[in-house]
C-alpha cells in the first residue's frame, strides 16, 4: 500500500508540476510560454527525490520485517528440532542399555557352536555315507552309530553350558534351553527396538543440525536488513526536509521567509510581521514563536516545554521538542495577508535524522485591517503522549482545546480570532501560493508514509530483540549417540553368536534323532541259506496219473468171460487220464500269468480314451473362428481397468468387475493376465488388493487339470506368497523332466532357504515362516529323486540344518559348503515332505497332478 501511495504521489506531483508550469499557456506548442521558476523547479525535483527515497525506505522496511520474521521462525524450528534430537538420543541410549550384554559369554558360545557343529557334521557325514543297499552289518552303519553315540553327550554338555551361562540374558535364572531361546528372542526384539531408536535419533540429530545452520543464517541476515531499513529511513527524512526547504524557498519568492531556532532546545524568537495579530480582545504587534511548538502574544515563553504558557498563546502539539537533528528547524513565512509557521522537530533528546521527524504547521489567513485571522493547524509524524493542543486568549486565562478533525493518524484542526472575514488572495501570487499549498500537502503525505515505515521498523526491532538464542545439539549428545551406536553393534554381534549357539543346541537333538532313525531303519541281512534247489524236485508227482491206467490190465486174467466186451467200452473213461494230462501241462500256462504286460497293454491302448479329442466337434470350431467377437471384451477390459484405477483403490466390486470383463469371452488368457498386471503396476508397485486380483485372474487363466508354473507366476508380476496358500504350483522339473508340484504356501516358505542372509533375518522377523521352511525341506523333490536317494535326503536335511545355523559363524563356513553340496546332489532340498502326500503338498505318488477347483465366470 505504501508503494502504491508513493507512486500515486509521484504521478500526482508530475501532473501538478505540468499544470503549474503551463498555467498561463494558451497554445502549448509555443515554447516561450513554458515558464518554470527556479524555485518551482527546485520544489519539483526535491519532491521527486523525496518520493523515491520514501519508496525505498518502505521497501527496505518490509525486507527487514520479512527477514526478521524468517529468523524468528527458523530459530523456533531449530530449537524445536534440537529438543527433539536430545529426546531421541536419550531414548536411544536408554533402549540400547536395555539390550543384554552377552560379550562375556561369546567365547563360550563360540566353543559350543564349534563342538556341536563338529559333532553334528560327523553324524551327517556318517549317515550320508550309508549306502542304499546297506544292512545292519555294514561298516558304514557302525560308523554312523558311533558318530551318533559320540554326538549325544556333546550335545547334552552344550545344552548344559548354554543354560549355565544364560545369566546375562535374564535376571531370573533360566533352567532349560527353551527358556534360553525365549530370552534370546526377547533380547533380539529389544535390539531391533534399540536399532530403530538409534536410527531415529541419528535422523533427528541430522535434522537439528540442518535447522541450526538455517537459523544461524537467518539470524545473521537480520542486523544488515534492519541497518539498511534505518539507512533508507534516514535518507527519506532528509529528502522530505530538503523538499520542505525547497517549498520555503518558493514561498520566499512571494513574501518573507525566515528560518529561526536551528539547533536549539527550549527557546523562542519574536517574528517580524507585516500586520498585527489579535488574541482575545487585544491586537498585538509583538508575537513570539517558540521551539516547543508554541506562539505567544506579548511575552516570549518559547522556553516553556512542560506546560501551556501562562501568556496568551497557541499550543500546536506543545511539548519538549528540539531542532538539533539534520533538517530540523522552525520557519515562518508571511505575505501581505498570510502567516505560515512550520516546526520540523524531534522529541528531546534526539539529535539524528534516523528517526521520523514531526511536522507541525500553522497556516493562517489574516485580515490586516483588524488583525483577525483564521488558521488550519496540523501535525504529521510521531505525536508523543502529553502533547498539548489548545488556545489561551488572556494571561492565565481559560485554556480552550483545539478539536482534532482527523480520523486517522496525525492531527488536524481549525482555530480563529476576531470577526469572520473572507480571505482575498493576491492575484499576483495566487499561482505560486497554490503550488506551495500543493507541495506542502505532498510533503505531509510523504511524512505520513514515513509514519508507517517507522512503525514497521519499530515492530521489527521488537521482534529482533525477542529472538531467542539458537540452541545446538551439544557435543555430549553427539558423543552419547555415537557411543550408543557402537554399543548396540557390539551387543548385537555378541547376541547373534549366542543366538547361533542356542539354535545349534536346539536343533542338534532333532538332527541326531533323525540320524538314529535312519540307522534304525537299516534292514538286517537276509538269511544266508538258499533253499531254492529243494523245491524244484516237487514236480515229480507227474507220473501219478500213469499207475491207474496200468491197473486196468490187471483184469485181463479173466479171459473166459471174454464175451463181456463191455470193458473196452469202459476204456474211453480210462483214456480220460490222458485228458487229465493237459492240466498237468497247465504249469506252462501258469507262466503266462506272469501278469503278461500284454494284459496291461490294453490300458496302454487307452488312447481311445484320448479319442475324447474325437469329440473334436469341428462344428464347434467355427465359433472359435469368432476372434472379432473377442475384441470388444478387450476394450471392455481396458475400460474397466481404467475405471478401477481412476481412484487408486480396488474394492471387492472393482475386482469382480475386472474378472467379469476378463472372462466375458469365456476364456482368461495369460496375455490378459500379464496386461492386467502391467496396468495395475503402472505406478511402480502392486498393492495387496492388486496382487490378489492378479492372482485370481492367473488362477482363472489355467485350464482344469493344469498347474501354475513358476514362469507364469513371475510373468504375472507376483510371487508364490501372493497366491492362496493351497494353490498347487509347479516349482521345477527334475533331470528326467518330471514335474515337481507343491502348494504355494510351501513354495514361498522354501524361498527363505535360498539365501542365508534372508534365513537369518527371518529367524528374527518371522520365525513361523522359518519353521515352515525347515519342515518343508524336500518338498521340491520328485518321487524319482526321492526313490533314488532316500538315505541321502535324510542326510541332506541334517546338513541343511547345520549349514543354516552355521551361516553367521566363520569357523563353520567350510562345513556349510559341504552340506549345501550334499543337498544339491540329491536333487531338491532333501528331507521329508510336509503336508499333502508324495512331493509335499502335491499328489500322493507318481506324476499325477493335484486336482483343484476352478471358478469359471459366465456372462
Amino acid at each position: 500500500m505504501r508503494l502504491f501511495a508513493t507512486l500515486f504521489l509521484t504521478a500526482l506531483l508530475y501532473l501538478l508540476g505540468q499544470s503549474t508550469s503551463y498555467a498561463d499557456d494558451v497554445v502549448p506548442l509555443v515554447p516561450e510560454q513554458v515558464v518554470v521558476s527556479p524555485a518551482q523547479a527546485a520544489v519539483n525535483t526535491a519532491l521527486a527525490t523525496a518520493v523515491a527515497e520514501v519508496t525505498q525506505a518502505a521497501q527496505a522496511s518490509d525486507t527487514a520485517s520479512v527477514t526478521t520474521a524468517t529468523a524468528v521462525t527458523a530459530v523456533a524450528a531449530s530449537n524445536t528440532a534440537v529438543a527433539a534430537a536430545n529426546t531421541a538420543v536419550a531414548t536411544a541410549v536408554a533402549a540400547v542399555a536395555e539390550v543384554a550384554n552377552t560379550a562375556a559369554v561369546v567365547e563360550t558360545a563360540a566353543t559350543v557352536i564349534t563342538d556341536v557343529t563338529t559333532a553334528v557334521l560327523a553324524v551327517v557325514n556318517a549317515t550320508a555315507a550309508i549306502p542304499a543297499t546297506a544292512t545292519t552289518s555294514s561298516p558304514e552303519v557302525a560308523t554312523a552309530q558311533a558318530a551318533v553315540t559320540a554326538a549325544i553327550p556333546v550335545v547334552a554338555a552344550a545344552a548344559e553350558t548354554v543354560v549355565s551361562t544364560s545369566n546375562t540374558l535374564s535376571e531370573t535364572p533360566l533352567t532349560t534351553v527353551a527358556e534360553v531361546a525365549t530370552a534370546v528372542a526377547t533380547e533380539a526384539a529389544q535390539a531391533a527396538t534399540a536399532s530403530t531408536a538409534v536410527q531415529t535419533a541419528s535422523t533427528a540429530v541430522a535434522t537439528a543440525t540442518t535447522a541450526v545452520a538455517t537459523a544461524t543464517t537467518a539470524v545473521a541476515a537480520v542486523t544488515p536488513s534492519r541497518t539498511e531499513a534505518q539507512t533508507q529511513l534516514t535518507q527519506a527524512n532528509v529528502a522530505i526536509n530538503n523538499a520542505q526547504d525547497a517549498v520555503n524557498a518558493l514561498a520566499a519568492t512571494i513574501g518573507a521567509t525566515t528560518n529561526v531556532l536551528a539547533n536549539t532546545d527550549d527557546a523562542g524568537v519574536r517574528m517580524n510581521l507585516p500586520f498585527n495579530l489579535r488574541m482575545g480582545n487585544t491586537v498585538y504587534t509583538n508575537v513570539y514563536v517558540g521551539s516547543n511548538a508554541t506562539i505567544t502574544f506579548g511575552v516570549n515563553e518559547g522556553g516553556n516545554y512542560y506546560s501551556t504558557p501562562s501568556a496568551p498563546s497557541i499550543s500546536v502539539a506543545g511539548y519538549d521538542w528540539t531542532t538539533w537533528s539534520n533538517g530540523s528547524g522552525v520557519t515562518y513565512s508571511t505575505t501581505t495577508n498570510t502567516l505560515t509557521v512550520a516546526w520540523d522537530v524531534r522529541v528531546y533528546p534526539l539529535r539524528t535524522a534516523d528517526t521520523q521527524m514531526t511536522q507541525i504547521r500553522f497556516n493562517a489567513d489574516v485580515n490586516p485591517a483588524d488583525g483577525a485571522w483564521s488558521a488550519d493547524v496540523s501535525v504529521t509524524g510521531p505525536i508523543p503522549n502529553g502533547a498539548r493542543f489548545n488556545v489561551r486568549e488572556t494571561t492565565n486565562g481559560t485554556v480552550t482545546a483545539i478539536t482534532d478533525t482527523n480520523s486517522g493518524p496525525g492531527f488536524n484542526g481549525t482555530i480563529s480570532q476576531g470577526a469572520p472575514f473572507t480571505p482575498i488572495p493576491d492575484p499576483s501570487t495566487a499561482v505560486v501560493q497554490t503550488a506551495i499549498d500543493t507541495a506542502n500537502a505532498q510533503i505531509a503525505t510523504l511524512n505520513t508514509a514515513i509514519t508507517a515505515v517507522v512503525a514497521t521498523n519499530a515492530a521489527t526491532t521488537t521482534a529482533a530483540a525477542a529472538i531467542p538464542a539458537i540452541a545446538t545439539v551439544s557435543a555430549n549428545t553427539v558423543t552419547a549417540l555415537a557411543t550408543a551406536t557402537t554399543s548396540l553393534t557390539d551387543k548385537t554381534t555378541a547376541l547373534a553368536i549366542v543366538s547361533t549357539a542356542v539354535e545349534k543346541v536346539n536343533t542338534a537333538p532333532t538332527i541326531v534323532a533323525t540320524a538314529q532313525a535312519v540307522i534304525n531303519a537299516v534292514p538286517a541281512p537276509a538269511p544266508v541259506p538258499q533253499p531254492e534247489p529243494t523245491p524244484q524236485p516237487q514236480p515229480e508227482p507227474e507220473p501219478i496219473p500213469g499207475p491207474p491206467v496200468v491197473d486196468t490190465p490187471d483184469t485181463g486174467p479173466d479171459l473166459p468171460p471174454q464175451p463181456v466186451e463191455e470193458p473196452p467200452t469202459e476204456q474211453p473213461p480210462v483214456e480220460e487220464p490222458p485228458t487229465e494230462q493237459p492240466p498237468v501241462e497247465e504249469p506252462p500256462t501258469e507262466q503266462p500269468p506272469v501278469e503278461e504286460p500284454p494284459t496291461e497293454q490294453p490300458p496302454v491302448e487307452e488312447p481311445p480314451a484320448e479319442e475324447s479329442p474325437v469329440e473334436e466337434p469341428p462344428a464347434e470350431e467355427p465359433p472359435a473362428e469368432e476372434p472379432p467377437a473377442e475384441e470388444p471384451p478387450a476394450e471392455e477390459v481396458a475400460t474397466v481397468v481404467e475405471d478401477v484405477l481412476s481412484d487408486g483403490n480396488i474394492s471387492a466390486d472393482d475386482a469382480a468387475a475386472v474378472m467379469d470383463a476378463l472372462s466375458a469371452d469365456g476364456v482368461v488368457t495369460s496375455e490378459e493376465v500379464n496386461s492386467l498386471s502391467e496396468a495395475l503396476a503402472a505406478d511402480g508397485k502392486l498393492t495387496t488388493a492388486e496382487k490378489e486380483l492378479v492372482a485370481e485372474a492367473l488362477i482363472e487363466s489355467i485350464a482344469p487339470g493344469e498347474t501354475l508354473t513358476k514362469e507364469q507366476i513371475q510373468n504375472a508380476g507376483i510371487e508364490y506368497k501372493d497366491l492362496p496358500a493351497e494353490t498347487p504350483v509347479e516349482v521345477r522339473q527334475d533331470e528326467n523332466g518330471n514335474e515337481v508340484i507343491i502348494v504355494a504356501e510351501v513354495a514361498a516358505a522354501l524361498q527363505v532357504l535360498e539365501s542365508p542372509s534372508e534365513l537369518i533375518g527371518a529367524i528374527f522377523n518371522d520365525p513361523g515362516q522359518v519353521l515352515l521352511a525347515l519342515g518343508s525341506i524336500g518338498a521340491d523333490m520328485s518321487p524319482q529323486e526321492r526313490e533314488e536317494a532316500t538315505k541321502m535326503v535324510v542326510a541332506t536335511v541334517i546338513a541343511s540344518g547345520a549349514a543354516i545355523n552355521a551361516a553367521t559363524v566363520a569357523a563353520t563356513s567350510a562345513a556349510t559348503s559341504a552340506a549345501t553340496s550334499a543337498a544339491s546332489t540329491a536333487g531338491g532340498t532333501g528331507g521329508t515332505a510336509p503336508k499333502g502326500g508324495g512331493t509335499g503338498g502335491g499328489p500322493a505318488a507318481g506324476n499325477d497332478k493335484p486336482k483343484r477347483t476352478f471358478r469359471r465366470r459366465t456372462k
Side-chain angles (χ1 to χ4, degrees), residues 109-189:
T111 301
V112 167
I113 293 172
T114 301
D115 293 346
V116 174
T117 300
T118 302
V120 169
L121 284 178
V123 171
V124 169
N125 293 333
T127 306
I130 299 174
T133 59
T135 65
T136 54
S137 61
S138 299
E140 294 86 354
V141 174
T143 300
Q145 184 60 65
V148 169
T149 302
I152 291 175
V154 173
V155 173
E160 182 178 351
T161 299
V162 166
V163 172
S164 64
T165 58
S166 63
N167 58 313
T168 58
L169 294 171
S170 173
E171 296 180 357
T172 304
L174 305 177
T175 58
T176 66
V177 174
E179 291 179 353
V180 176
T182 300
V184 168
T186 300
E187 292 304 321

Side-chain angles (χ1 to χ4, degrees), residues 139-456:
E140 294 86 354
V141 174
T143 300
Q145 184 60 65
V148 169
T149 302
I152 291 175
V154 173
V155 173
E160 182 178 351
T161 299
V162 166
V163 172
S164 64
T165 58
S166 63
N167 58 313
T168 58
L169 294 171
S170 173
E171 296 180 357
T172 304
L174 305 177
T175 58
T176 66
V177 174
E179 291 179 353
V180 176
T182 300
V184 168
T186 300
E187 292 304 321
Q190 179 58 40
T193 299
S195 178
T196 300
V198 167
Q199 183 59 44
T200 299
S202 298
T203 302
V205 169
T207 300
T209 301
T210 301
V212 167
T214 300
T216 301
T217 300
V219 169
V222 170
T223 298
S225 68
R226 291 180 57 227
T227 299
E228 177 63 15
Q230 190 59 54
T231 298
Q232 293 297 331
L233 174 61
T234 300
Q235 293 176 355
N237 284 333
V238 171
I240 291 174
N241 294 338
N242 291 339
Q244 187 64 62
D245 290 342
V247 172
N248 293 339
L250 179 61
T253 63
I254 60 172
T257 298
T258 306
N259 296 321
V260 295
L261 302 176
N263 197 27
T264 299
D265 177 40
D266 302 335
V269 64
R270 178 179 176 180
M271 294 185 290
N272 295 317
L273 304 178
F275 41 68
N276 296 327
L277 290 181
R278 180 180 293 276
M279 176 56 69
N281 294 323
T282 306
V283 176
Y284 294 89
T285 58
N286 52 342
V287 181
Y288 300 87
V289 58
S291 63
N292 292 316
T294 61
I295 297 174
T296 58
F297 296 82
V299 179
N300 182 4
E301 289 193 35
N304 185 352
Y305 65 89
Y306 47 85
S307 65
T308 299
S310 58
S313 61
I314 304 169
S315 295
V316 185
Y319 198 71
D320 190 6
W321 301 102
T322 72
T323 59
W324 287 333
S325 58
N326 180 29
S328 62
V330 180
T331 301
Y332 68 91
S333 302
T334 61
T335 65
T336 57
N337 57 358
T338 63
L339 169 63
T340 299
V341 182
W343 292 269
D344 293 322
V345 293
R346 288 181 172 86
V347 174
Y348 175 89
L350 298 179
R351 294 175 176 269
T352 62
D354 57 359
T355 59
Q356 184 182 11
M357 182 181 295
T358 299
Q359 293 179 319
I360 304 171
R361 299 291 183 265
F362 176 88
N363 297 316
D365 289 314
V366 180
N367 184 354
D370 60 1
W373 53 270
S374 175
D376 293 326
V377 297
S378 64
V379 179
T380 303
I383 301 175
N385 291 330
R388 299 173 290 276
F389 295 86
N390 56 50
V391 174
R392 188 194 295 270
E393 294 183 352
T394 60
T395 302
N396 293 322
T398 303
V399 175
T400 303
I402 302 174
T403 303
D404 183 9
T405 60
N406 186 23
S407 58
F411 185 94
N412 288 95
T414 301
I415 55 176
S416 62
Q417 289 289 312
F421 64 98
T422 300
I424 302 175
D426 184 348
S428 63
T429 62
V431 174
V432 176
Q433 186 62 54
T434 300
I436 292 172
D437 293 341
T438 300
N440 282 330
Q442 296 300 313
I443 291 173
T445 301
L446 290 173
N447 206 33
T448 299
I450 289 296
T451 300
V453 172
V454 170
T456 299

Side-chain angles (χ1 to χ4, degrees), residues 20 52 54 85 117 217 279 323 334 432 533 610 614 643 666 712 738 756 767 771 816 835:
T20 302
V54 170
T117 300
T217 300
M279 176 56 69
T323 59
T334 61
V432 176
E610 297 175 358
V614 175
D643 292 342
Q712 289 174 321
N738 298 308
L771 293 176
T816 302
K835 58 185 178 180

Side-chain angles (χ1 to χ4, degrees), residues 703-855:
E706 292 185 358
T707 305
L708 286 174
T709 66
K710 179 179 180 180
E711 290 73 17
Q712 289 174 321
I713 296 170
Q714 290 177 340
N715 292 339
I718 60 176
E719 302 178 69
Y720 293 127
K721 63 183 179 182
D722 300 321
L723 295 169
E726 299 300 325
T727 303
V729 295
E730 177 189 326
V731 295
R732 59 183 288 270
Q733 292 185 353
D734 65 12
E735 60 184 6
N736 296 321
N738 298 308
E739 298 176 349
V740 178
I741 301 172
I742 59 179
V743 295
E745 180 182 28
V746 173
L750 288 176
Q751 287 183 324
V752 176
L753 302 180
E754 295 178 1
S755 169
S757 60
E758 290 185 11
L759 177 60
I760 293 172
I763 289 174
F764 293 103
N765 301 327
D766 192 356
Q769 184 79 341
V770 175
L771 293 176
L772 176 58
L774 293 175
S776 301
I777 294 176
D780 56 351
M781 292 179 63
S782 68
Q784 288 73 12
E785 291 172 328
R786 190 184 309 282
E787 182 177 354
E788 293 172 2
T790 303
K791 305 301 182 186
M792 186 76 70
V793 169
V794 175
T796 304
V797 173
I798 300 170
S800 298
I804 293 168
N805 293 323
T808 58
V809 183
T812 60
S813 61
T816 302
S817 300
T820 305
S821 176
S824 65
T825 61
T829 58
T832 57
K835 58 185 178 180
T839 57
N847 290 329
D848 294 338
K849 297 182 180 179
K851 294 182 178 180
R852 59 190 296 274
T853 300
F854 296 90
R855 176 171 60 84

Side-chain angles (χ1 to χ4, degrees), residues 338-678:
T338 63
L339 169 63
T340 299
V341 182
W343 292 269
D344 293 322
V345 293
R346 288 181 172 86
V347 174
Y348 175 89
L350 298 179
R351 294 175 176 269
T352 62
D354 57 359
T355 59
Q356 184 182 11
M357 182 181 295
T358 299
Q359 293 179 319
I360 304 171
R361 299 291 183 265
F362 176 88
N363 297 316
D365 289 314
V366 180
N367 184 354
D370 60 1
W373 53 270
S374 175
D376 293 326
V377 297
S378 64
V379 179
T380 303
I383 301 175
N385 291 330
R388 299 173 290 276
F389 295 86
N390 56 50
V391 174
R392 188 194 295 270
E393 294 183 352
T394 60
T395 302
N396 293 322
T398 303
V399 175
T400 303
I402 302 174
T403 303
D404 183 9
T405 60
N406 186 23
S407 58
F411 185 94
N412 288 95
T414 301
I415 55 176
S416 62
Q417 289 289 312
F421 64 98
T422 300
I424 302 175
D426 184 348
S428 63
T429 62
V431 174
V432 176
Q433 186 62 54
T434 300
I436 292 172
D437 293 341
T438 300
N440 282 330
Q442 296 300 313
I443 291 173
T445 301
L446 290 173
N447 206 33
T448 299
I450 289 296
T451 300
V453 172
V454 170
T456 299
N457 288 353
T460 299
T461 299
T462 301
I467 296 177
I470 301 175
T472 59
V473 179
S474 68
N476 290 339
T477 299
V478 175
T479 301
L481 178 59
T483 301
T485 302
T486 302
S487 176
L488 179 61
T489 301
D490 295 341
K491 288 183 176 182
T492 302
T493 302
L495 185 62
I497 296 174
V498 172
S499 175
T500 301
V502 173
E503 183 64 20
K504 290 282 187 183
V505 172
N506 250 339
T507 58
T510 301
I511 297 174
V512 172
T514 302
Q516 185 64 63
V518 171
I519 295 171
N520 293 342
V522 174
V528 177
Q530 297 179 355
E532 295 178 358
T534 51
Q536 291 179 355
Q538 291 179 357
E540 295 178 356
E542 292 180 357
I544 296 173
V549 177
V550 176
D551 290 343
T552 54
D554 291 344
T555 58
D558 299 333
L559 295 174
Q562 290 177 354
V564 183
E565 296 177 358
E566 295 175 0
T569 59
E570 294 176 359
Q571 287 177 358
V574 175
E575 294 174 359
E576 292 174 1
T579 60
E580 293 176 1
Q581 289 177 355
V584 175
E585 295 174 359
E586 289 175 0
T589 59
E590 291 176 359
Q591 292 176 354
V594 174
E595 295 172 0
E596 304 168 352
T599 56
E600 296 177 359
Q601 290 174 353
V604 174
E605 294 175 0
E606 290 175 0
E610 297 175 358
E611 292 176 359
S612 51
V614 175
E615 294 174 2
E616 301 169 350
E620 294 179 359
E621 291 180 358
E625 295 175 359
E626 297 175 357
E630 295 179 2
E631 294 179 2
E635 297 176 359
E636 178 183 352
V637 171
T639 301
V640 172
V641 171
E642 183 178 355
D643 292 342
V644 166
L645 294 178
S646 61
D647 60 357
N649 297 316
I650 296 181
S651 64
D653 291 339
D654 292 337
V658 172
M659 290 305 303
D660 287 339
L662 288 173
S663 59
D665 58 354
V667 176
V668 179
T669 66
S670 59
E671 290 77 8
E672 291 174 332
V673 175
N674 296 342
S675 297
L676 172 63
S677 177
E678 292 174 0

